[in-house]
Amino acid sequence: MWPARHVCEWWTLLILQDAFDGYTRFDQFQENLGVSSNAHHRLKALVSDGLLERRPYQTNPVRHEYVLTALGRSLWPVIVALTAWGNSRLAREGRSMVLNDTATGEEVDPVVVDASTGRRLDGSDACAFTAGPAASDAMRARHGHRRRGPGGVSADQV
């Protein structure tokens, strides 16, 4: 099944954020996130979805670590965008985490743009979801033939 079923759960984003910060071991995730031992089930689900890889780091006794896969690393822009969205709603002194340029140390302000045009896609009528090739009949009916931007505003209403 597509990993979105777990990506949409709050704990997944917290575990992935920790993995991006370099955490790999169960006890690190458990301690940092304050989660119970059922974190094993959560990590197992992320392994099953292909977002993390479970591999041994010690042989006696056998212990495993959880590292991001290419699919897991591809969620970095999502984590960045969600963090930026959250930070934009907080006063500067209320932010617990900021994104900085690794070369300059300066804080960066990420935005989502169209790769081919460079046009910003946040809160504009620049784009709209439409039914894709694998869409169900219900999805096709939902999106219809009219273009709709954020909030369901059609292009001819903007």
Side-chain angles (χ1 to χ4, degrees):
M1 180 174 212
W2 188 58
R5 67 183 169 141
H6 290 124
V7 170
C8 296
E9 297 173 359
W10 65 269
W11 56 263
T12 297
L13 296 174
L14 295 174
I15 289 172
L16 291 173
Q17 179 62 53
D18 276 1
F20 281 114
D21 282 344
Y23 292 103
T24 61
R25 298 181 183 168
F26 171 77
D27 58 329
Q28 293 173 318
F29 293 116
Q30 187 177 29
E31 182 180 335
N32 192 51
L33 299 174
V35 293
S36 65
S37 60
N38 72 357
H40 275 296
H41 299 293
R42 296 171 175 169
L43 291 167
K44 185 177 179 180
L46 295 177
V47 168
S48 175
D49 286 345
L51 299 172
L52 294 176
E53 176 187 355
R54 181 178 182 248
R55 61 185 184 199
Y57 70 87
Q58 178 178 310
T59 56
N60 192 11
V62 176
R63 297 201 187 273
H64 294 88
E65 64 180 355
Y66 300 85
V67 296
L68 289 162
T69 62
L71 181 63
R73 287 188 303 275
S74 74
L75 284 168
W76 175 246
V78 175
I79 300 289
V80 168
L82 286 171
T83 302
W85 176 81
N87 280 349
S88 72
R89 280 134 185 87
L90 296 171
R92 187 171 205 78
E93 61 276 1
R95 299 173 182 179
S96 61
M97 182 173 49
V98 295
L99 188 66
N100 288 338
D101 183 299
T102 56
T104 67
E106 296 293 319
E107 186 173 344
V108 297
D109 184 21
V111 296
V112 178
V113 298
D114 175 55
S116 62
T117 65
R119 190 172 37 182
R120 286 180 66 132
L121 302 180
D122 53 339
S124 72
D125 63 349
C127 63
F129 287 109
T130 59
S136 65
D137 289 341
M139 182 67 72
R140 291 182 193 289
R142 175 180 171 186
H143 287 287
H145 298 290
R146 293 172 48 168
R147 300 180 327 171
R148 298 196 180 276
V153 176
S154 65
D156 57 350
Q157 293 174 320
V158 176

